[in-house]
C-alpha cells in the first residue's frame, strides 16, 4: 500500500471516529442544575380618594297609563345639577277619550240619541252634524225634553248661546313660540349658574 493511500485511510478513520464521538455526545443526557433561591418583597401603598361631586340621581317617576280602559296620559321629567336634583310626574285625563268611551257605551246600550248628544258637546261634531243635515239633539227650555230633527234645528236658531264654543287655536304665532323658547333656555341657564 502506498503512503498516500494509507494517509487517506487513516484520515477517513479519524473523521469517522470524530463524527461518532460527537454524535454520541449530542445524544447523551442534558446537564441538569438544581438551584434554590429565597426572596422576600415588602410593598407598602397609601391611597386616598376624594369625591368632589355626588353622582346625578334625579330619576323620572314611572307613570303607568298604558291600560286601554283608562283615558290617562302620563307625563314625567327630571333635572339634575351638581347640587340639586328635581323629579316630578303626573297623570292627566283626556276629556275627548272619556267622551268617546261614554258615547260608545251609551250606543251599545241602545241609547243612540244620547250617544249623539254626548258627542255633540264638541264643536267639530256639532258642525259636522249640522253640515250633514242632521242637527244635534237639544233640550226644550220650557219642557226640559229633548228635541231632534227640525224641532232641534229651530231651537238651535233660537238659542245660539248653547252652541259649543270653538276650541282655542292651538297654533302659536312663530314669534311668540321663539320668545317663549328663548325665555325657557335663559331660565335654565340662570338656574344652572346659580346652582354652580
Amino acid at each position: 500500500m502506498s503512503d498516500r493511500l494509507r494517509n487517506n485511510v487513516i484520515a477517513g478513520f479519524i473523521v469517522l471516529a470524530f463524527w461518532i464521538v460527537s454524535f454520541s455526545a449530542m445524544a447523551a443526557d442534558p446537564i441538569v442544575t438544581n438551584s434554590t433561591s429565597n426572596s422576600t418583597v415588602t410593598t407598602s401603598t397609601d391611597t386616598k380618594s376624594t369625591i368632589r361631586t355626588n353622582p346625578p340621581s334625579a330619576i323620572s317617576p314611572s307613570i303607568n297609563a298604558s291600560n286601554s280602559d283608562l283615558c290617562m296620559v302620563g307625563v314625567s321629567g327630571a333635572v339634575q345639577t351638581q347640587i340639586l336634583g328635581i323629579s316630578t310626574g303626573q297623570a292627566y285625563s283626556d276629556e275627548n277619550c272619556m267622551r268617546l268611551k261614554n258615547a260608545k257605551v251609551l250606543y251599545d246600550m241602545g241609547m243612540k240619541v244620547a250617544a249623539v248628544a254626548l258627542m255633540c258637546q264638541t264643536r267639530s261634531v256639532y258642525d259636522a252634524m249640522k253640515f250633514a243635515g242632521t242637527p244635534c239633539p237639544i233640550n226644550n227650555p220650557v219642557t226640559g225634553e229633548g228635541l231632534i230633527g227640525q224641532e232641534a234645528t229651530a231651537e238651535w236658531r233660537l238659542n245660539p248661546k248653547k252652541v259649543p264654543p270653538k276650541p282655542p287655536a292651538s297654533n302659536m304665532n312663530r314669534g311668540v313660540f321663539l320668545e317663549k323658547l328663548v325665555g325657557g333656555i335663559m331660565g335654565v341657564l340662570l338656574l344652572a349658574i346659580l346652582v354652580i
Side-chain angles (χ1 to χ4, degrees), residues 105-177:
V105 169
L106 286 171
Y107 186 86
D108 290 344
M109 291 191 302
M111 309 293 254
K112 296 179 181 180
V113 177
V116 171
L118 183 61
M119 292 301 297
C120 281
Q121 292 176 0
T122 306
R123 180 59 185 257
S124 60
V125 175
Y126 172 84
D127 289 341
M129 294 288 286
K130 181 178 175 183
F131 296 150
T134 55
C136 288
I138 189 172
N139 67 331
N140 187 334
V142 177
T143 62
E145 295 179 1
L147 302 174
I148 58 173
Q150 296 299 325
E151 295 172 344
T153 303
E155 190 63 35
W156 282 115
R157 285 186 189 140
L158 292 174
N159 296 305
K161 291 182 180 180
K162 289 186 176 182
V163 175
K166 289 186 177 180
S170 61
N171 296 335
M172 272 200 266
N173 185 352
R174 185 176 177 151
V176 173
F177 173 74

Side-chain angles (χ1 to χ4, degrees), residues 94-111:
D94 184 358
E95 296 296 326
N96 190 46
C97 175
M98 289 193 302
R99 184 178 294 115
L100 290 171
K101 284 192 177 289
N102 290 337
K104 182 174 183 343
V105 169
L106 286 171
Y107 186 86
D108 290 344
M109 291 191 302
M111 309 293 254

Side-chain angles (χ1 to χ4, degrees), residues 44-80:
S44 178
T45 305
D46 251 349
T47 304
K48 182 179 179 182
S49 298
T50 304
I51 298 174
R52 298 193 185 277
T53 60
N54 292 330
S57 61
I59 300 168
S60 296
S62 175
I63 309 282
N64 187 6
S66 62
N67 189 344
S68 63
D69 211 27
L70 297 175
C71 291
M72 303 295 279
V73 177
V75 178
S76 65
V79 175
Q80 175 68 46

Side-chain angles (χ1 to χ4, degrees), residues 11-90:
F13 279 122
I14 291 173
V15 168
L16 180 63
F18 180 74
W19 185 75
I20 290 172
V21 169
S22 66
F23 182 73
S24 64
M26 287 177 19
D29 288 337
I31 299 171
V32 177
T33 304
N34 291 329
S35 66
T36 304
S37 66
N38 292 327
S39 65
T40 303
V41 177
T42 304
T43 304
S44 178
T45 305
D46 251 349
T47 304
K48 182 179 179 182
S49 298
T50 304
I51 298 174
R52 298 193 185 277
T53 60
N54 292 330
S57 61
I59 300 168
S60 296
S62 175
I63 309 282
N64 187 6
S66 62
N67 189 344
S68 63
D69 211 27
L70 297 175
C71 291
M72 303 295 279
V73 177
V75 178
S76 65
V79 175
Q80 175 68 46
T81 64
Q82 291 179 349
I83 297 172
L84 179 67
I86 299 172
S87 65
T88 185
Q90 187 171 353

